[in-house]
Amino acid sequence: MTSYNQVFENNRQWIASKLATDAEFFEKMADSQTPEYLYIGCSDSRVPTNEIMGLGAGEVFVHRNIANVVPNTDLNVMAVINYAVVHLEVKHIVVCGHYNCGGVKAAMQPKDLGILNPWLRNIRDVYRLHMDELNAITDEHDRYNRLVELNVQEQAINVIKTAAVQKSYLAKGYPVVHGWVYDIKNGQLKDLEIDFEGVLHEIQRIYDLTGSGMMQKDNNNQ
């Protein structure tokens, strides 16, 4: 275990290493940020966000919480999405889960988990939506991993439901929303290849917040 004081020594060494390669590194960082990616991931300490993407400081705007959940009632994640889209004008939003996720596993257990109950209910709702598929998977580990993927998929859809994303995409053609899963055992990222445009068009039948009349058009065509 790294001691508390060692953390500050590590910080001094890190500063020295950055300045050794770029004397203006911190001046550049302090000037502004123009990330192209918003990363919404799990708080798990085993997932080093920038490193797994091969990107440096200033290139990824990050939000993390237990099990990478995007509830519409969570002002924290909603504010992050709005700021990233409206002010930073990110081109990509990534919802990234990971296999062996403790939050997802906890949601699969029939237990009262106290204050975690309302948060994990978001994942239990994902299980309910995909119950037939998940219950058909006999191996518990495989079922667990599949729920991780489905949770990413549903949380990505929750991102697409937001007004900021819909309006920006209609006006500018970005951001595009992606769903990834990180495998802690081998370090690989898996792209779930979410059909962003297809999902956007489908959900706008109900969740159209752009004022483009998508809901009205669909109702008139029925």
Side-chain angles (χ1 to χ4, degrees):
M1 292 288 289
T2 301
S3 70
Y4 181 79
N5 290 332
Q6 183 62 45
V7 169
F8 290 91
E9 177 57 32
N10 292 348
N11 174 248
R12 286 188 284 271
Q13 294 177 13
W14 174 73
I15 293 171
S17 69
K18 289 297 182 184
L19 293 177
T21 56
D22 183 356
E24 298 179 345
F25 177 81
F26 293 104
E27 292 180 20
K28 294 174 183 175
M29 288 297 102
D31 183 45
S32 64
Q33 61 170 330
T34 55
E36 293 208 350
Y37 292 86
L38 165 60
Y39 174 101
I40 301 173
C42 182
S43 299
D44 195 297
S45 61
R46 299 168 294 176
V47 185
T49 303
N50 289 57
E51 292 181 38
I52 66 174
M53 299 175 71
L55 299 177
E59 295 185 277
V60 189
F61 197 57
V62 178
H63 175 82
R64 299 176 70 166
N65 61 47
I66 294 174
N68 44 271
V69 175
V70 185
N72 69 305
T73 54
D74 178 17
L75 296 183
N76 192 340
V77 70
M78 289 294 118
V80 167
I81 292 171
N82 186 275
Y83 185 80
V85 173
V86 176
H87 300 284
L88 298 179
E89 297 189 342
V90 296
K91 304 303 186 294
H92 303 273
I93 299 177
V94 175
V95 177
C96 186
H98 65 95
Y99 297 125
N100 299 318
C101 179
V104 173
K105 189 170 186 178
M108 295 177 70
Q109 311 304 314
K111 296 180 181 178
D112 179 356
L113 297 170
I115 192 61
L116 283 174
N117 285 338
W119 189 259
L120 296 180
R121 187 174 300 133
N122 294 288
I123 305 170
R124 289 181 172 132
D125 286 342
V126 174
Y127 200 120
R128 176 178 56 80
L129 288 172
H130 300 275
M131 185 166 50
D132 291 342
E133 176 187 348
L134 289 166
N135 287 346
I137 301 173
T138 55
D139 183 87
E140 183 177 4
H141 182 72
D142 291 343
R143 188 186 314 124
Y144 171 24
N145 282 346
R146 182 55 180 153
L147 180 55
V148 167
E149 295 175 349
L150 291 170
N151 182 52
V152 167
Q153 174 183 299
E154 292 298 331
Q155 305 313 322
I157 291 173
N158 285 344
V159 175
I160 298 172
K161 290 175 183 177
T162 63
V165 170
Q166 291 184 28
K167 292 168 74 173
S168 178
Y169 188 77
L170 181 65
K172 307 172 186 176
Y174 61 82
V176 175
V177 179
H178 310 271
W180 297 353
V181 178
Y182 175 68
D183 193 334
I184 291 175
K185 290 184 178 179
N186 58 29
Q188 291 184 340
L189 284 170
K190 178 180 180 180
D191 187 349
L192 298 181
E193 300 182 353
I194 291 173
D195 178 7
F196 170 72
E197 288 193 354
V199 171
L200 176 61
H201 180 77
E202 183 65 26
I203 64 114
Q204 279 191 316
R205 297 183 181 188
I206 301 173
Y207 302 97
D208 183 10
L209 303 178
T210 64
S212 63
M214 176 66 74
M215 286 176 62
Q216 187 64 42
K217 290 175 186 176
D218 282 345
N219 288 336
N220 289 339
N221 291 332
Q222 290 178 359

